[in-house]
Amino acid sequence: MSEHPDCALVRRGYEAFGNGDMETMSTLLTADAIHHVPGSNPLSGHHKGRENVLDLYRRLGEETKGTFQVDLESVLADGRGHVMSFHTVRADRGDRGIEIRQGLFFTIIGHKITDIDQCTADIDEEDVFWS
């Protein structure tokens, strides 16, 4: 069985992110893409527009001095332009470390990502880590 094209798109995004390839990432997002980050920390909120989303991704690396890693576990599609992914994040920031499960809910239109809703296993833990 071949993988659904929407799942393949999300996997390409994870691979580009893992390689720090923001050029490829930019080709996967619409100009008006939004990434929603939960919680009450400096990274929380609605990052609107391709460049702001890419800036968020760059900041994850900068804030953790390159230790931010994502291990993709699974990618699921509904065949109607929605994909869910599940992964584990590991990172260090100052004297803090984090290992936490997260999920992303993608909306895909015209073979590009338009919206990303981020979910986490523990919002409070993430707020402490990023604050």
Side-chain angles (χ1 to χ4, degrees):
M1 260 178 150
S2 64
E3 183 172 51
H4 191 278
D6 291 344
C7 289
L9 173 72
V10 168
R11 283 187 193 279
R12 281 195 308 276
Y14 270 86
E15 182 178 347
F17 178 86
N19 292 328
D21 183 357
M22 294 302 124
E23 186 174 324
T24 295
M25 286 294 305
S26 72
T27 67
L28 305 177
L29 301 167
T30 61
D32 61 349
I34 302 173
H35 188 134
H36 310 275
V37 179
S40 298
N41 66 70
L43 298 180
S44 298
H46 309 286
H47 301 269
K48 298 177 183 180
R50 180 187 299 127
E51 287 310 311
N52 289 326
V53 172
L54 295 174
D55 285 343
L56 168 66
Y57 300 159
R58 287 184 196 99
R59 190 166 173 201
L60 294 171
E62 291 167 2
E63 292 283 333
T64 62
K65 298 192 182 336
T67 65
F68 193 90
Q69 296 178 341
V70 176
D71 295 320
L72 182 61
E73 297 164 14
S74 61
V75 180
L76 311 170
D78 72 355
R80 297 178 290 121
H82 301 110
V83 171
M84 294 183 340
S85 65
F86 300 92
H87 60 259
T88 299
V89 167
R90 291 175 187 82
D92 294 309
R93 188 166 179 264
D95 62 350
R96 296 183 189 133
I98 195 167
E99 181 173 329
I100 194 163
R101 288 201 69 220
Q102 294 180 336
L104 299 175
F105 181 82
F106 297 86
T107 301
I108 298 169
I109 298 175
H111 308 291
K112 292 208 180 212
I113 298 165
T114 65
D115 198 83
I116 305 167
D117 282 299
Q118 183 174 318
C119 298
T120 181
D122 190 331
I123 290 173
D124 293 336
E125 181 179 356
E126 288 210 33
D127 283 346
V128 168
F129 180 76
W130 293 111
S131 295

